[in-house]
Amino acid sequence: MNPLAPLGEFEQLVLLAVMRLEGEAYAVPIRQEIEGRTSRRVARGALYVTLDRLEEKGYLKSWLADATAQRGGRAKRYYEVKPAGAKALEYSWTALRSMWEGLEPRRREA
Amino acid sequence: VKPAKPPRFAVAWLEKTAPRHLAESVIGDLEEEWRVRVVKGRAAAALWYCAQALPLALRLGWFDLTHKQHRDGHHPRKGDSLMETLWNDARYGARMLARTPGFTFVAILTLALGLGANAAIFSVVNALLIKPLPLPESERLVSLNGMDSRGRQQYISYPDFEDLRKQATLFEGFSGVVPQSANLTGRPEPIRVRGGFVSDNFFKVVGVDVAMGRGFQPGDDALGAPLVAVLQHETWQGVFGGDPGILGRTIVVNNSPYTVVGILPRGFQFVYDSIEVWMPYHSWPPFSTDDAYLNRANGLVGPIARLKKGVTLKAAQTELDTIGAPRRAKDAGSPWNRCATPWSRTCGRWFWF
């Protein structure tokens, strides 16, 4: 049994995007990453809310970088996946994979 | 050149509504994306910014509110009745709204604009489509329009109108109307009034009775017939001071003397610009001064008709199409009676105040 709070689908996408961006993860590229890979629109509001919730669950940590002129003197908030986040992702992946077990032909049909 | 900046009010919305720990990065993120767009055009970029900022501000503002509620431990207690819980929720909501005036302002503005727009649209739809005309059996009242080759509605010519009147069998009455400004003289100060030149059966077709005197009688609209006029109640009161001896008095419209024969009931207004003085059709200058009205290319008449009982719009339209077929074949571009629509659905409606 997983002691961690379960992840929603969008939460998984966000965590994976943060992981892929390796230290360059703030809201703008995270959104681009998800949109580019999944071809689905990501509402800004939903992304910020999800990032904040994941941080509160202890799956992400964030910090403000230095302010830059390109952003009207406003700082970026960078995100990084914490070990608990990676574990929760791993759990979701395992759960999904075990549910698919034996159903591969059906998956290929679809 | 002044350096471009995103719309200040939109930035202020975000600052007010976003959770404090996120506001800095959220606004920075949006500005970063806005800067990519601003090189292509400032106006488009500003619009884009507002379109992004408004829903974002609402979403984050809502998140902040509900989240604070969660963090502050605002949970219904066991044993609370439903009413107590609701009352506590309402008080909590009001406190939160008072604490975040920016979010409250945007939320109320959005609601107000949405409600206002809906109410405005509904009042138009109600007047035009839903509410029946306050006239007897108004569902049988139709306006007829010509339709030119581009599908635009047009008045039809007088000879076409006469043909329709003679040939159409599914209509109880066929009347014509031309709203036209006229000069009212023969008084210390000449004034401009809104005149309605109508066929003598007009009031009968629409189903309105005069309040005083008489309406138009058969023959009143014949060329050479004595000129008579019917006044709006408000015109009688406002222009003629409610003169009790108005009936039989002569007024001068467009330099012609008309005898006032009737007054319409108070509050009756015709859809066209609230007409003030009603006169017979043939006293309209194009009829009395030259033969322009005989030209089939001149769209001069807006016919209003009453369908016979039980006749459907579709049947009426088919008859009009049949009558109009030879005419359309001869001159494809000219207006001809192509469309019969319930009066209330095309040009407006009658108003009683």
Side-chain angles (χ1 to χ4, degrees):
Chain A
M1 189 67 195
N2 174 39
L4 301 166
L7 289 172
E9 191 217 359
F10 188 59
E11 288 179 322
Q12 291 182 46
L13 294 180
V14 172
L15 281 174
L16 288 167
V18 173
M19 236 180 213
R20 301 185 71 85
L21 288 164
E22 286 179 22
E24 287 301 318
Y26 64 100
V28 177
I30 294 173
R31 192 165 159 262
Q32 286 166 351
E33 182 76 14
I34 299 174
E35 287 190 335
R37 290 188 170 270
T38 62
S39 305
R40 72 187 226 187
R41 245 197 109 256
V42 174
R44 286 185 173 75
L47 178 61
Y48 287 116
V49 168
T50 305
L51 284 167
D52 204 59
R53 198 169 46 222
L54 286 170
E55 189 170 7
E56 207 168 82
K57 283 181 181 175
Y59 294 164
L60 283 178
K61 70 171 177 184
S62 78
W63 65 95
L64 278 176
D66 291 338
T68 58
Q70 290 88 347
R71 295 164 53 86
R74 312 227 182 219
K76 291 175 186 171
R77 180 172 287 278
Y78 282 103
Y79 292 89
E80 196 179 87
V81 178
K82 286 167 73 168
K87 208 180 268 181
L89 267 179
E90 174 60 26
Y91 173 77
S92 297
W93 168 238
T94 312
L96 209 57
R97 211 174 34 190
S98 73
M99 287 306 290
W100 271 110
E101 225 167 62
L103 292 176
E104 277 75 10
R106 296 283 291 277
R107 184 163 63 95
R108 277 192 291 272
E109 272 168 34
Chain B
V1 185
K2 233 170 116 187
K5 281 194 172 163
R8 207 181 299 169
F9 68 94
V11 177
W13 274 344
L14 278 172
E15 259 166 2
K16 285 268 182 203
T17 54
R20 209 170 296 162
H21 67 288
L22 288 181
E24 163 104 0
S25 56
V26 166
I27 296 169
D29 290 344
L30 207 55
E31 175 147 355
E32 187 180 321
E33 293 189 65
W34 168 81
R35 275 181 193 275
V36 177
R37 283 175 169 79
V38 83
V39 289
K40 293 177 196 156
R42 281 187 184 201
L47 271 178
W48 174 88
Y49 192 95
C50 294
Q52 305 303 314
L54 183 62
L56 186 56
L58 284 172
R59 180 72 180 88
L60 293 178
W62 181 247
F63 172 65
D64 196 29
L65 269 183
T66 51
H67 215 62
K68 263 187 201 150
Q69 184 169 343
H70 179 72
R71 275 200 306 261
D72 296 355
H74 172 75
H75 302 296
R77 284 184 300 261
K78 260 191 179 170
D80 272 5
S81 73
L82 179 67
M83 282 314 288
E84 276 168 330
T85 311
L86 276 176
W87 174 239
N88 283 336
D89 279 349
R91 278 179 19 183
Y92 187 81
R95 272 206 309 277
M96 282 297 145
L97 287 173
R99 221 183 277 172
T100 51
F103 171 73
T104 309
F105 173 73
V106 173
I108 290 174
L109 187 74
T110 309
L111 279 174
L113 288 176
L115 289 171
N118 270 310
I121 291 167
F122 177 76
S123 60
V124 172
V125 169
N126 185 37
L128 295 184
L129 300 177
I130 300 170
K131 208 170 171 184
L133 304 176
L135 291 168
E137 295 181 76
S138 61
E139 70 283 355
R140 291 199 284 133
L141 213 53
V142 294
S143 83
L144 274 66
N145 300 284
M147 196 177 283
D148 67 11
S149 50
R150 289 190 196 166
R152 289 176 304 197
Q153 289 185 354
Q154 303 275 358
Y155 277 2
I156 66 173
S157 75
Y158 183 73
D160 289 342
F161 172 60
E162 284 296 312
D163 286 353
L164 269 181
R165 212 147 54 156
K166 281 178 207 144
Q167 295 176 43
T169 59
L170 301 179
F171 297 84
E172 210 170 81
F174 242 103
S175 66
V177 58
V178 177
Q180 193 78 43
S181 291
N183 297 319
L184 183 67
T185 52
R187 42 184 278 124
E189 284 284 317
I191 58 167
R192 197 95 169 128
V193 291
R194 287 184 294 277
F197 294 88
V198 294
S199 56
D200 54 26
N201 61 349
F202 177 78
F203 294 128
K204 207 172 151 220
V205 169
V206 300
V208 64
D209 273 333
V210 289
M212 277 169 62
R214 67 168 177 88
F216 295 124
Q217 289 171 345
D220 273 351
D221 68 358
L223 270 175
L227 295 175
V228 290
V230 172
L231 299 181
Q232 283 291 113
H233 191 277
E234 291 70 17
T235 312
W236 171 47
Q237 291 294 318
V239 179
F240 298 100
D243 176 6
I246 188 78
L247 296 180
R249 216 181 110 180
T250 300
I251 61 170
V252 183
V253 182
N254 290 342
N255 293 326
S256 302
Y258 288 77
T259 307
V260 177
V261 294
I263 309 288
L264 286 169
R266 180 197 297 273
F268 173 80
Q269 270 192 318
F270 190 59
V271 285
Y272 293 119
D273 301 331
S274 51
I275 283 165
E276 295 165 296
V277 182
W278 300 85
M279 293 154 285
Y281 212 84
H282 285 90
S283 63
W284 188 36
F287 283 86
S288 45
T289 55
D290 57 38
D291 289 342
Y293 73 98
L294 293 176
N295 187 341
R296 282 188 190 267
N298 286 346
L300 298 177
V301 190
I304 289 172
R306 188 173 278 277
L307 292 171
K308 281 184 178 164
K309 272 190 181 146
V311 173
T312 62
L313 273 180
K314 202 173 165 198
Q317 184 64 66
T318 309
E319 179 173 56
L320 295 176
D321 285 346
T322 312
I323 298 169
R327 177 84 173 83
R328 280 199 305 279
K330 211 165 135 198
D331 183 0
S334 78
W336 180 237
N337 44 301
R338 283 298 314 285
C339 106
T341 36
W343 181 253
S344 59
R345 295 218 179 136
T346 50
C347 312
R349 56 180 290 265
W350 301 76
F351 296 96
W352 295 84
F353 292 106

